Amino acid sequence: MNINEAMEVLKTKGYKATGKRKDILIYFEEADGYRTAKDLIQHLEAVHEAISFDTVYRNLHLYNEVGILETTELNGEKHFRMNCTHRHHHHFICNVCGKTKEIDLCPMDELRNALADYAIEDHKFEIYGLCPVCKTTA
């Protein structure tokens, strides 16, 4: 998803497209991988001196709720990234830097047979470890 698509989602859902909301989207569009609310706040403080934690958290959860951002849990903390809506895939996520690598293989292709009597509504598959850069510095 890009910024224009995300702003359109906000408008369609009845939310205002403010400068702060757009700055949050720009941050995630430029970020390589998952980022925390703390990462975002540090970035935004350079542009918006008086930005509040409540504003940041409220918008992060709004973006997740309307499908603009996706989330994962890393080291006990919620991380966010722009939603990848272009095609079905999964991610390898670096535990150190949060960078992601797309994985085109989907384990559900094989698991559907094992769960034939179940109504699968959704799934999420993530692999955690160290990216090549973090692996060499560890």
Side-chain angles (χ1 to χ4, degrees):
M1 180 173 297
N2 65 39
I3 291 175
N4 294 332
E5 293 168 332
M7 296 300 275
E8 190 58 37
V9 168
L10 284 177
K11 290 177 189 174
T12 301
K13 301 280 185 178
Y15 295 98
K16 293 180 183 176
T18 66
K20 287 179 184 174
R21 285 186 171 156
K22 188 170 184 177
D23 288 343
I24 291 170
L25 293 172
I26 290 169
Y27 173 76
F28 282 104
E29 186 176 59
E30 295 173 352
D32 183 13
Y34 285 91
R35 297 291 173 250
T36 65
K38 182 180 174 184
D39 295 332
L40 175 60
I41 290 167
Q42 289 174 342
H43 171 78
L44 290 175
E45 285 176 337
V47 181
H48 303 281
E49 290 180 29
I51 192 149
S52 73
F53 290 107
D54 287 344
T55 297
V56 169
Y57 283 104
R58 192 172 45 254
N59 281 291
L60 287 173
H61 290 287
L62 167 65
Y63 289 168
N64 180 244
E65 184 180 305
V66 299
I68 294 170
L69 295 180
E70 57 187 52
T71 65
T72 193
E73 188 94 9
L74 282 172
N75 302 318
E77 187 174 10
K78 193 171 260 194
H79 287 61
F80 302 84
R81 68 172 267 141
M82 273 304 227
N83 197 351
C84 304
T85 58
H86 56 282
R87 63 182 167 68
H88 182 79
H89 65 277
H90 299 283
H91 294 114
F92 170 90
I93 305 168
C94 181
N95 285 324
V96 175
C97 69
K99 288 185 180 177
T100 61
K101 178 173 177 40
E102 290 184 5
I103 304 167
D104 290 322
L105 178 73
C106 181
M108 288 307 297
D109 298 338
E110 295 196 21
L111 290 173
R112 286 191 198 284
N113 291 335
L115 300 169
D117 293 337
Y118 295 82
I120 300 167
E121 295 177 352
D122 198 7
H123 71 279
K124 185 175 185 178
F125 181 70
E126 298 172 335
I127 300 173
Y128 301 94
L130 301 177
C131 71
V133 173
C134 293
K135 183 179 164 188
T136 59
T137 60

